[in-house]
Amino acid sequence: MGRRLIALAGLLATLAGGSPALAQTAVEPPRVGIPGCTDDVAVRASRSLISFESRGRLIRAYLYTPAGPPVGAGIVMLHGGTGFEMNAILFDAHAIQLASRGYWVILPAYFDAAEPDRRRRVVNGRAWRQAALDAAGQLAVRSGIAPDRVALWGYSRGAGVAADAATAPESPVRSAVLVAGGGSVDETLTGRGLSFLLLHARRDEAVPVRATLDLADALRRAGAGVEVQGLDFDGHQYDLPTWCAVMGRTRAFLESRGERDHASS
């Protein structure tokens, strides 16, 4: 636990603009990328703070680069409503674990594109969607993988952004994982080969299960392939075993998508 706190302190210092080297002055080096899941692998990845432009705004992001053999796929992780700073801490070790398995991962601060404002929901939504798509483009350029091998992954508010971005007419994305999310679909998706995995708790006080199931139905009617899976948890703020289950199911879904794409090529 002490080592993990040191690693989180380093990440907090980076988010605040400080020096992680100064924040991690300890006798023992911190363990990075070990969330505590039973299927954790040895860390073979690095994290760097980058920025990219979206609609004239500078977007901060963490880029996770595999140090071992890449799998030829990438993941854009979209944070929830508590924002980049809090969720970067929550998802950091999981993102490094994904990268250690060969995935390129980017975690953008999409709120940088437009601050949340209830009076400007449509404007915010468009800005966040474009930031997610631009993050996918950045990941494809930096990794050299095909844009359609970059999946969107979102939790809570980020799940809505992921659904909006994945279904946009200009989106090259073909896979998305939506965790504790709801929303609607305005586009026709028939013939685009889009596949979604929707995950939800048994009961969720912030995003009702019915909202997730309604979104799944809307995606199916629009022409997308949809899997819906329940999680063995009650609530919106998941505990570690539930997050481990989420990440395991995410990998299984993306691996199955990769196998289907390889078989059809």
Side-chain angles (χ1 to χ4, degrees):
M1 177 60 72
R3 291 177 176 178
R4 189 177 181 190
L5 288 175
I6 293 170
L8 293 181
L11 181 57
L12 278 169
T14 304
L15 289 169
S19 168
L22 293 177
Q24 294 181 359
T25 52
V27 175
E28 293 183 80
R31 292 173 66 200
V32 178
I34 306 294
C37 302
T38 58
D39 59 354
D40 284 344
V41 298
V43 173
R44 300 184 68 189
S46 62
R47 177 214 311 120
S48 57
L49 182 62
I50 66 167
S51 62
F52 61 92
E53 190 173 295
S54 180
R55 293 178 27 150
R57 300 287 296 269
L58 204 60
I59 312 297
R60 296 166 295 157
Y62 275 110
L63 177 68
Y64 299 85
T65 304
V71 297
I75 305 170
V76 177
M77 298 188 74
L78 300 167
H79 61 72
T82 54
F84 176 66
E85 284 76 9
M86 291 300 296
N87 279 186
I89 296 170
L90 175 64
F91 297 137
D92 180 66
H94 296 295
I96 291 179
Q97 280 288 304
L98 287 168
S100 296
R101 289 175 164 87
Y103 291 95
W104 284 77
V105 183
I106 189 170
L107 186 109
Y110 64 86
F111 281 174
D112 287 355
E115 289 294 330
D117 187 339
R118 291 182 178 274
R119 299 166 299 178
R120 305 173 71 245
R121 289 184 177 180
V122 173
V123 175
N124 285 352
R126 288 173 180 166
W128 296 343
R129 175 181 69 191
Q130 190 58 51
L133 292 175
D134 288 339
Q138 283 289 315
L139 195 60
V141 168
R142 290 172 182 268
S143 64
I145 61 179
D148 63 0
R149 293 299 311 279
V150 177
L152 297 178
W153 183 102
Y155 164 66
S156 192
R157 183 172 296 185
V161 176
D164 192 23
T167 58
E170 68 275 19
S171 173
V173 170
R174 296 177 60 189
S175 304
V177 179
L178 313 179
V179 185
S184 59
V185 180
D186 298 325
E187 306 293 340
T188 298
L189 308 175
T190 302
R192 291 179 53 183
L194 271 170
S195 294
F196 292 85
L197 171 63
L198 277 63
L199 301 172
H200 65 84
R202 288 187 300 256
R203 286 186 290 273
D204 190 321
E205 71 281 2
V207 181
V209 174
R210 175 44 54 190
T212 299
L213 298 180
D214 287 347
L215 175 57
D217 289 340
L219 289 167
R220 291 189 184 104
R221 288 194 300 270
V226 181
E227 299 177 36
V228 180
Q229 297 180 18
L231 299 166
D232 186 19
F233 186 78
D234 293 312
H236 190 69
Q237 303 292 336
Y238 300 162
D239 59 10
L240 177 59
T242 305
W243 278 121
C244 293
V246 166
M247 295 303 167
R249 296 184 189 193
T250 295
R251 295 195 307 271
F253 171 73
L254 295 179
E255 287 165 7
S256 67
R257 281 289 301 172
E259 290 170 0
R260 286 198 293 268
D261 291 344
H262 181 73
S264 62
S265 62

